[in-house]
Amino acid sequence: MVICIPSGITEVEKRAVRDSAEHMNAKEIYLIHEPMAAAIGIGIDITQPKGNMIIDIGGGTTEIAVIALGGIVCDKSVKVAGDVFTNDISYYMRTQHNLKIGERTAEKIKIEIGAATEDLDSPPEDILVQGRDLLSGKPKQAQVSFREIAKALDKSILRIEDAVMETLSKTPPELAADIYNTGIYLAGGGSMLRGLDKRLSRKTDLPVYLSL
């Protein structure tokens, strides 16, 4: 059994993962860090003496790592990812539209019009969102645009940007030079947020490639 684990995991948490796998009667258990698994999945030759930067935005955590010679040189794990984006959207709908929506509806909004920036090249159409009016308790519908969702997600994306900048600042100079030439790779479901690659590219002044 091969299990992906966040790069910021503690030894106790690692043991808990192993124990869970053993309870499933796994004969052999291999733990691999999420950014490393993402790099292999993208097709990067991780054994090369060359630095590659991966940002893996999953459901629970965003994993940022610089990989070289088959190992992680420096990394950062932040608990801001797809689930937090969904919660941000629910909170925005509650506070700005007085509309209570379920998790599935918030997820649907994220997929259909979710955006990380307001200046998209091909913006999605506004959508109608149904939920319950917080004041009257009646069913209600509101029209929502991608610009609103970009505002709702702004704080969370800022935290990801800060973590990326922090990881870059800890990267050894030689590997930083490699990253300057190769750019940054974005992976994971959360990376599919419209304009996220563009926004991270603006922040880092580096090319950002979406790996899907």
Side-chain angles (χ1 to χ4, degrees), residues 51-156:
N52 285 294
M53 188 177 205
I54 311 281
I55 304 170
D56 181 10
I57 307 173
T61 59
T62 292
E63 306 290 324
I64 303 152
V66 175
I67 293 167
L69 285 169
I72 292 174
V73 180
C74 54
D75 64 340
K76 178 97 180 143
S77 180
V78 281
K79 287 189 169 71
V80 177
D83 296 345
V84 173
F85 296 159
T86 305
N87 292 338
D88 287 344
I89 291 168
S90 294
Y91 179 74
Y92 180 86
M93 294 305 291
R94 257 198 331 270
T95 53
Q96 301 300 313
H97 290 278
N98 280 326
L99 194 67
K100 175 96 170 116
I101 59 168
E103 196 179 319
R104 230 177 52 216
T105 305
E107 183 78 19
K108 183 170 170 271
I109 295 169
K110 183 175 75 178
I111 292 165
E112 290 191 14
I113 59 165
T117 176
E118 290 186 40
D119 57 334
L120 295 180
D121 297 330
S122 50
E125 297 282 322
D126 292 3
I127 62 166
L128 293 169
V129 179
Q130 287 89 22
R132 193 181 79 232
D133 192 307
L134 281 171
L135 302 175
S136 68
K138 296 174 190 169
K140 172 179 142 174
Q141 172 169 280
Q143 188 167 342
V144 187
S145 73
F146 80 93
R147 284 191 177 84
E148 290 183 82
I149 303 306
K151 279 195 196 90
L153 301 178
D154 189 54
K155 271 202 181 103
S156 293

Side-chain angles (χ1 to χ4, degrees), residues 16-33:
V17 172
R18 268 186 195 284
D19 289 349
S20 302
E22 278 164 12
H23 284 309
M24 300 293 291
N25 297 324
K27 293 277 187 291
E28 288 182 63
I29 302 152
Y30 300 97
L31 302 183
I32 180 168
H33 288 114

Side-chain angles (χ1 to χ4, degrees), residues 175-209:
L175 298 183
D178 292 336
I179 293 165
Y180 182 82
N181 292 321
T182 57
I184 297 170
Y185 297 97
L186 258 186
S191 66
M192 292 166 74
L193 208 58
R194 292 167 188 80
L196 184 58
D197 50 347
K198 193 172 164 187
R199 181 165 167 170
L200 287 170
S201 181
R202 266 206 306 258
K203 179 76 178 176
T204 57
D205 288 328
L206 295 167
V208 175
Y209 304 105

